[in-house]
């Protein structure tokens, strides 16, 4: 057996290896020898656990090890730290807690960490965690909006800022990125991910991991990322949160898992399992996926946490007869930490008595948690996370606000623009209509961490304060921001903070009057923040009724209308498309929302966001992806033919994946390949020219799609395989070269096996998935088997001007 000093302390995928390798203490090999373990377990010990962890494990009681596995809530999400009382301090002294979530604050968390380090038996530090998903205090646009930027560097920069702010506030660990692919916008949590595409999703996934961790977990300004919720959380039946996902093994591997794989490549230090099941197996108990695919096939060495109460909920799924069985299933699957259900804490000891083999799993789980704490530097400099001065300087500093503003500019998607509706530059009277224009809570979005609505620049304030000379703004809310009467649940409590209720008829009349007195209307409508996010499934993704009524009344005035759409999901808005001159999808855009909106509306910046998901014409079209497999009977406009379509609506989306307009115009050259054939190990360079033919500096997102026209299984109609957001001066041309590897056409065969087939590959360059400018094709001369999910492989892109 190797000595621990010479053992690789972490896999190549883990960050923090550097930090660890400098502190190799001789550790007892006894623990490894003493426990009867399978060779698998032994190699996990050697590969993934630090010497300090192994040494500590050899001294800890069963109860103390279980304590490390327990994550307790330090407060409710809206009432942080509220539970950190004397009783909790005693639990920490006794080693009963491994981590707290819903806590924050450099000063607030210092004492309890000091107690863990100095007064608990083994001096093991606590891990402090929070959902810092799109900003900590400087909230930036919701993740689906960030994906609409098609700008990986922006995503990384923003996550880096969130990591810095949260680490300055005593936090070590964020429950982000959320990388669940979602093709069904009825699902409220679509707001938290990157949309429908595994290639775009993989890029956004790795960008966030890199941003949060910055390649060095031990630095005091980085936080550990949690890639979540592994499994197929984004495809619950009917879009209803937590529901079963019954998708094929190929789709699991080709569509849902690639962003998780990409996160591992980027060094994600932890993962969270999903609440729901895939074909009957809840991920929290899915040994093949968690211990098999993630740990064994992908080589992930870090820590895995359950979702909130999910271990206990295994009894509700009907696969565990009681809590002890639930605990043993989760532990065996490889779930290290129990978020709040207290199953490990209270019931694992009995499970271990019944099945002593579980002790091996317990050692590994506790060891992985301790190892992560060490990678974060918490044993040696845990109290350095509690520097109040640093926190004060970091939080919401000007530079952070500037980044939030840039992000909000880059995420806006111009869906429609006719009659020169945008930008607005001439002196005139503008009526801003819609309560959402003032609703700062909604701009904070679904996970607002420590965001404060009083620090948000509302859309109305942004448009008013930045109005160019001669533009006058008036305002009327028209209707409530929230439709509060759910007829099926009249007693539902809603958390509307801006109470701007009054008699709706009067509100509407005032809005019409305000619109009529103006030259044009900027109509701010859409969904309130509480309609997106966890457990916020809708059966109808059209505009809420009150918003629709307001829109109809305003259209009737005959004034030119620019819609600013506020949303956390794809919506079906055919009426707006028909009647508005312009539609700017502005999502929920964070603390600088109003200023960024003004930058776009008044033409300081040309919009260049692109949709990361189809916007359907009707709810009934969802789930809906641009990259479906072709049918044997492709949709035909002639309803007399029996084809792959609905009879009551056009088959196409209202706005397709990749769609987004600009104030400028761009011309594309031909797409050319540097070769006509490559081997399965080879790559092709695909090049095109793009010219800004308009008269303002503007950005364009150049999109590369691929199709495998003939394979052993049907392949998607087209699939995204590369993109680049570029900025061009008027008249300027850029040459964009994508280097695509043959392996990026790999087809899932079986676990850990992907096949690159010989044959033709087609490539398309375009402005969106439905607006292709040019195409070319090459031949792959042989076949090979590999193990990398094709969509997770990044295409190299070079730009020359
Ligand atoms: C969510 C997770 C989140 C956790 C902790 C759960 O309800 O599903 O995404 O990280 O709560 O707040």
């Amino acid at each position: 057996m190797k000595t621990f000093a010479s053992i690789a302390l972490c896999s190549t995928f883990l960050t923090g290896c550097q930090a660890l390798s400098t502190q190799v203490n001789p550790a007892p090999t006894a623990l490894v020898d003493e426990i009867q373990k399978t060779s698998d377990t032994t190699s996990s010990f050697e590969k993934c656990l630090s010497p300090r962890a192994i040494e500590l494990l050899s001294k800890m009681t069963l109860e103390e090890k279980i304590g490390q596995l327990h994550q307790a809530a330090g407060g409710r999400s809206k009432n942080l730290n509220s539970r950190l009382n004397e009783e909790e301090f005693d639990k920490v002294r006794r080693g009963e807690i491994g981590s707290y979530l819903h806590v924050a604050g450099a000063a607030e968390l210092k004492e309890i960490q000091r107690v863990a380090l100095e007064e608990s038996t083994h001096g093991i530090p606590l891990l402090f965690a929070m959902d810092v998903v799109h900003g900590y205090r400087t909230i930036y646009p919701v993740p689906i909006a960030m994906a609409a930027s098609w700008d990986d560097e922006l995503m990384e920069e923003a996550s880096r800022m969130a990591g810095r702010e949260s680490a300055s506030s005593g936090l070590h660990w964020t429950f982000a990125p959320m990388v669940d692919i979602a093709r069904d916008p009825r699902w409220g949590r679509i707001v938290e991910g990157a949309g429908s595409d595994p290639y775009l999703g993989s890029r956004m996934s790795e960008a966030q991991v890199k941003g949060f961790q910055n390649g060095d977990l031990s630095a005091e300004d980085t936080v550990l990322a949690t890639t979540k919720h592994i499994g197929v959380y984004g495809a619950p039946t009917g879009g209803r949160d937590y529901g079963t996902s019954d998708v094929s093994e190929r789709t699991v591997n080709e569509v849902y898992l690639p962003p998780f794989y990409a996160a591992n490549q980027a060094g994600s230090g932890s993962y969270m399992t999903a609440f729901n099941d895939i074909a009957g197996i809840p991920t929290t108990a899915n040994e093949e996926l968690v211990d098999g695919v993630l740990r064994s096939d992908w080589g992930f060495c870090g820590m895995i946490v359950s979702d909130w109460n999910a271990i206990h909920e295994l009894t509700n799924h009907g696969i565990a007869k009681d809590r002890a069985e639930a605990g043993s299933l989760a532990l065996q699957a490889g779930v290290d930490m129990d978020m709040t259900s207290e199953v490990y804490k209270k019931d694992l000891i009995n499970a271990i008595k019944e099945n002593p083999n579980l002790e091996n799993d317990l050692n590994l789980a506790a060891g992985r948690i301790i190892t992560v704490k060490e990678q974060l530097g918490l044993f040696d400099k845990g109290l350095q996370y509690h520097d109040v001065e640093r926190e004060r300087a970091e939080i919401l500093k000007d530079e952070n606000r500037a980044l939030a503003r840039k992000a909000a500019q880059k995420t806006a998607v111009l869906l429609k623009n006719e009659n020169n509706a945008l930008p607005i530059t001439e002196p005139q009277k503008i009526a801003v209509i819609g309560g959402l224009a003032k609703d700062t809570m909604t701009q904070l979005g679904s996970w607002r961490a420590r965001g404060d609505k009083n620090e948000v620049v509302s859309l109305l304030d942004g448009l008013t304060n930045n109005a160019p000379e001669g533009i006058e703004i008036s305002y009327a809310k028209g209707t409530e921001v929230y439709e509060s009467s759910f007829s099926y649940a009249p007693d539902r409590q809603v958390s509307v903070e801006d109470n701007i209720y009054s008699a709706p008829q009067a509100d509407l009349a005032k809005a019409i009057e305000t619109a009529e007195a103006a030259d044009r209307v900027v109509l701010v409508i859409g969904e309130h923040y509480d309609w997106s996010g966890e457990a916020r499934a809708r059966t109808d993704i059209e505009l809420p009724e009150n918003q629709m009524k307001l829109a109809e009344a305003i259209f009737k005035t005959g004034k030119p209308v620019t819609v600013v759409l506020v949303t956390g999901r794809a919506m079906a808005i055919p009426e707006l498309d028909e009647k508005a001159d312009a539609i700017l999808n502005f999502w929920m855009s964070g603390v600088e929302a109003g200023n960024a909106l003004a930058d776009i509306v008044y033409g300081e910046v040309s919009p260049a966001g692109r949709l990361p998901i189809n916007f359907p014409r009707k709810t009934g079209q969802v789930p809906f992806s641009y990259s479906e497999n072709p049918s044997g009977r492709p949709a035909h406009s002639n309803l007399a033919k029996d084809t792959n379509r609905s009879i009551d609506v056009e088959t196409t989306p209202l706005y397709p994946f990749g769609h987004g307009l600009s104030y400028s115009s761009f011309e594309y050259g031909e797409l050319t390949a540097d070769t006509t054939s490559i081997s399965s190990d080879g790559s092709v360079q695909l090049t095109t020219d793009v010219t800004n033919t308009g008269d303002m500096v503007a950005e364009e997102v150049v999109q590369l799609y691929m199709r495998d026209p003939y394979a052993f299984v049907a392949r998607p109609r087209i699939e995204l395989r590369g993109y680049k957001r570029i900025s061009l001066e008027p008249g300027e041309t850029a040459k964009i070269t994508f280097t695509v590897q043959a392996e990026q056409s790999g087809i899932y065969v079986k676990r850990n096996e992907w096949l690159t087939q010989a044959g033709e590959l087609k490539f398309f360059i375009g402005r969106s998935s439905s607006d292709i400018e040019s195409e070319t094709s090459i031949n792959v001369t042989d076949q090979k088997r590999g193990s990398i999910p094709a969509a997770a492989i990044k295409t190299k892109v070079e730009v020359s001007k």
Side-chain angles (χ1 to χ4, degrees):
M1 171 175 263
K2 294 179 207 160
T3 65
F4 279 101
S6 65
I7 285 166
L9 297 176
C10 42
S11 82
T12 43
F13 298 142
L14 276 177
T15 56
C17 297
Q18 249 8 64
L20 269 179
S21 58
T22 54
Q23 12 170 305
V24 182
N25 310 318
T29 53
L31 186 74
V32 182
D33 295 337
E34 167 197 301
I35 314 166
Q36 294 301 304
K37 287 176 300 307
T38 62
S39 56
D40 254 16
T41 313
T42 310
S43 72
S44 293
F45 260 74
E46 295 176 347
K47 194 173 82 167
C48 299
L49 269 48
S50 73
R52 170 146 36 192
I54 294 172
E55 183 174 7
L56 278 167
L57 289 175
S58 71
K59 296 179 191 155
M60 290 164 77
T61 63
L62 272 187
E63 287 77 2
E64 286 166 344
K65 290 175 193 170
I66 289 174
Q68 287 302 309
L69 275 51
H70 177 51
Q71 183 176 58
R76 303 288 306 164
S77 56
K78 287 176 193 133
N79 203 357
L80 304 172
N81 309 329
S82 55
R83 294 187 186 151
L84 298 184
N85 49 26
E86 265 313 309
E87 210 182 310
E88 288 299 315
F89 276 60
D90 283 340
K91 288 185 195 165
V92 171
R93 282 186 187 96
R94 294 194 298 269
E96 290 174 14
I97 312 269
S99 170
Y100 283 104
L101 82 158
H102 296 335
V103 289
E108 291 85 339
L109 299 179
K110 185 170 185 181
E111 182 55 11
I112 199 160
Q113 184 68 300
R114 191 199 60 73
V115 167
L117 285 166
E118 295 172 9
E119 296 179 19
S120 71
T121 317
H122 300 289
I124 303 176
L126 293 163
L127 268 179
F128 298 131
M130 196 196 228
D131 293 275
V132 178
V133 177
H134 55 108
Y136 177 68
R137 182 74 164 268
T138 308
I139 303 297
Y140 48 87
V142 290
I144 194 168
M146 290 300 288
S149 72
W150 295 55
D151 187 336
D152 318 352
E153 282 123 46
L154 175 75
M155 186 56 130
E156 184 174 338
E157 230 187 311
S159 312
R160 177 92 196 86
M161 166 177 76
R164 266 200 318 266
E165 277 197 354
S166 38
S168 80
S169 210
L171 292 170
H172 317 125
W173 187 16
T174 175
F175 299 132
M178 195 283 226
V179 306
D180 300 304
I181 295 299
R183 296 179 160 189
D184 187 342
R186 291 174 299 179
W187 188 52
R189 296 197 82 170
I190 197 168
V191 64
E192 293 176 52
S196 66
D197 184 74
Y199 182 84
L200 181 62
S202 295
R203 304 293 72 81
M204 293 297 152
S205 166
E206 64 203 10
Q208 289 174 85
V209 170
K210 285 188 201 158
F212 288 129
Q213 300 190 166
N214 201 30
D216 182 5
L217 284 181
S218 71
E220 284 144 40
D221 64 350
T222 61
V223 288
L224 177 76
T226 311
T227 304
K228 69 185 188 184
H229 310 79
I230 189 162
V232 185
Y233 185 42
T237 306
R240 280 169 288 122
D241 211 357
Y242 319 122
T244 185
S245 61
D246 207 351
V247 293
S248 73
E249 188 182 332
R250 170 159 297 109
T251 302
V252 170
N253 283 279
E254 293 191 353
V255 176
Y256 290 92
L257 292 186
F260 292 98
Y261 181 92
N264 186 43
Q265 294 293 76
S268 180
S270 74
Y271 279 79
M272 186 188 293
T273 52
F275 281 120
N276 63 341
D277 72 276
I278 309 171
I281 308 177
T283 309
T284 305
N286 193 334
E287 191 169 354
E288 184 175 3
L289 179 62
V290 177
D291 231 11
V293 174
L294 177 55
R295 284 220 165 92
S296 176
D297 299 352
W298 297 355
F300 172 68
C301 259
M303 171 178 67
I304 295 174
V305 62
S306 78
D307 205 338
W308 183 284
N309 201 39
I311 299 184
H312 168 74
E313 289 167 18
L314 292 176
T315 59
N316 297 346
H317 281 280
I319 62 148
K321 66 179 178 307
D322 54 25
R323 285 169 56 94
E325 190 180 9
S328 94
L329 285 173
L331 190 68
Q332 279 172 309
V335 176
D336 303 319
M337 192 174 275
D338 173 358
M339 187 191 285
T340 70
S341 83
E342 302 197 341
V343 167
Y344 282 173
K345 180 177 166 176
K346 294 185 176 155
D347 305 271
L348 205 54
I349 208 98
N350 289 335
I352 294 174
K353 278 181 194 147
E354 264 180 43
N355 174 8
N357 288 336
L358 283 177
E359 208 178 326
N360 294 341
D361 297 300
L362 173 63
N363 280 317
L364 277 171
R368 286 189 285 249
I369 291 167
I370 295 170
T371 301
V372 159
K373 292 180 175 182
E374 192 170 1
Q375 289 175 319
L376 285 160
L378 299 183
F379 280 93
D380 304 314
K381 43 178 191 170
L383 294 182
Q384 290 178 23
Y385 278 81
H386 303 278
D387 177 342
V388 177
E389 277 312 308
R390 183 156 66 93
E391 182 183 38
R392 199 170 298 136
E394 188 59 52
I395 300 286
L396 206 68
K397 60 185 182 192
D398 291 352
E399 186 184 321
N400 294 359
R401 270 199 176 273
L403 179 57
R405 183 168 181 164
K406 179 168 92 173
Q409 292 165 353
K410 285 188 181 259
T411 50
V413 185
L414 185 60
L415 299 175
K416 175 181 179 186
N417 194 17
E418 280 174 9
N419 306 323
N420 295 323
L422 285 178
I424 304 172
T425 49
E426 297 301 316
Q428 58 192 291
K429 288 184 186 156
I430 301 175
V432 176
I433 307 287
L436 284 168
K438 270 181 115 171
D439 181 30
T440 49
M441 276 300 275
T442 287
Q443 292 308 322
L444 288 178
S446 56
W447 281 112
R448 65 196 70 97
R450 298 195 91 183
D452 179 344
K453 67 174 181 152
N454 299 314
E455 291 165 353
V456 176
V457 180
S458 74
L459 303 184
L460 178 62
D461 284 350
L463 290 174
T464 309
N465 301 339
N466 296 286
E469 187 84 38
I471 290 188
E472 273 174 48
I473 303 284
S474 54
Y475 168 74
K477 75 173 182 188
T479 182
E480 291 85 0
V481 292
Y482 195 94
E483 183 128 20
S484 55
S485 54
F486 287 91
S487 53
Y488 68 92
D491 57 349
R492 184 186 150 108
Q493 295 291 311
V494 296
S495 49
V496 182
E497 313 228 348
D498 289 281
N499 269 316
I500 48 172
Y501 297 125
S502 59
Q505 282 312 322
D507 287 343
L508 207 55
K510 177 83 198 317
I512 294 167
E513 191 187 309
T514 309
E516 280 170 346
D519 298 311
R520 69 172 62 237
V521 176
V522 171
L523 178 62
V524 184
I525 46 175
E527 285 188 356
H528 179 262
Y529 78 89
D530 206 27
W531 281 37
S532 280
E534 188 168 347
R536 300 297 187 269
R538 292 187 67 197
T539 56
D540 173 354
I541 56 167
E542 282 144 44
L543 279 177
E545 202 182 317
N546 65 343
Q547 301 286 301
M548 195 61 234
K549 280 194 181 138
L550 174 62
E552 278 163 4
I554 298 301
F555 286 132
K556 267 200 202 134
T557 64
K559 294 287 172 182
V561 176
T562 289
V563 167
V564 173
L565 187 66
V566 174
T567 179
R569 51 159 58 88
M571 296 189 77
I573 47 165
E575 302 83 357
L576 301 185
D577 178 66
E578 193 188 317
K579 296 185 181 144
D581 283 338
I583 306 176
L584 181 70
N585 186 19
F586 202 63
W587 311 103
M588 297 173 186
S589 279
V591 286
E592 283 289 320
N595 286 332
L597 178 65
D599 294 336
I600 293 175
V601 167
Y602 300 134
E604 285 297 312
V605 171
S606 172
R610 300 289 184 260
L611 292 179
I613 183 168
N614 278 346
F615 268 45
R617 294 170 191 278
K618 278 198 161 199
T619 304
Q621 285 181 294
V622 308
F624 196 15
S625 162
Y626 78 93
S627 58
E628 284 173 6
N629 294 339
S631 161
R633 295 185 175 190
H636 197 283
S637 53
N638 182 352
L639 285 179
K641 295 181 191 243
D642 295 345
T643 65
N644 175 226
R645 60 164 301 165
S646 309
I647 54 172
D648 57 350
V649 70
E650 264 182 65
T651 321
T652 54
L654 182 62
Y655 303 117
F657 176 87
H659 172 74
L661 305 173
S662 168
Y663 292 160
S664 194
S665 51
F666 297 89
E667 218 173 82
Y668 280 67
E670 293 288 292
L671 180 66
T672 56
D674 68 339
T675 174
T676 51
S677 68
I678 57 174
S679 76
S680 55
D681 278 325
S683 60
V684 57
Q685 292 201 332
L686 298 149
T687 302
T688 193
D689 284 345
V690 178
T691 305
N692 181 351
T693 50
D695 52 14
M696 80 178 281
V697 182
E699 294 183 334
E700 171 74 346
V701 179
V702 184
Q703 302 167 34
L704 179 78
Y705 294 88
M706 182 191 78
R707 167 148 174 77
D708 181 348
Y710 172 60
F712 77 96
V713 287
R715 301 307 295 154
R717 197 177 64 81
I718 50 168
E719 335 175 50
L720 185 70
R721 277 298 175 268
Y723 57 87
K724 187 70 188 171
R725 183 167 176 145
I726 51 168
S727 176
L728 291 173
E729 301 282 331
E732 194 179 19
T733 299
K735 185 181 285 302
I736 300 111
T737 302
F738 299 88
T739 305
V740 180
Q741 300 162 47
E743 230 184 340
Q744 291 180 257
S745 67
I747 303 171
Y748 178 78
V749 179
K750 60 177 198 260
R751 183 172 148 188
N752 220 15
E753 188 176 319
W754 292 73
L755 180 68
T756 302
Q757 277 202 290
E760 187 188 12
L761 283 182
K762 294 185 172 197
F763 292 97
F764 309 85
I765 201 82
R767 302 167 199 268
S768 83
S769 59
S770 299
D771 189 355
I772 299 301
E773 288 290 324
S774 173
E775 66 175 89
T776 187
S777 74
I778 62 152
N779 202 41
V780 178
T781 51
D782 59 346
Q783 69 171 43
K784 79 164 191 183
R785 284 170 203 273
S787 60
I788 307 179
I793 303 172
K794 186 171 181 169
T795 298
K796 187 171 148 207
V797 190
E798 287 156 302
V799 180
S800 60
K801 289 183 178 172

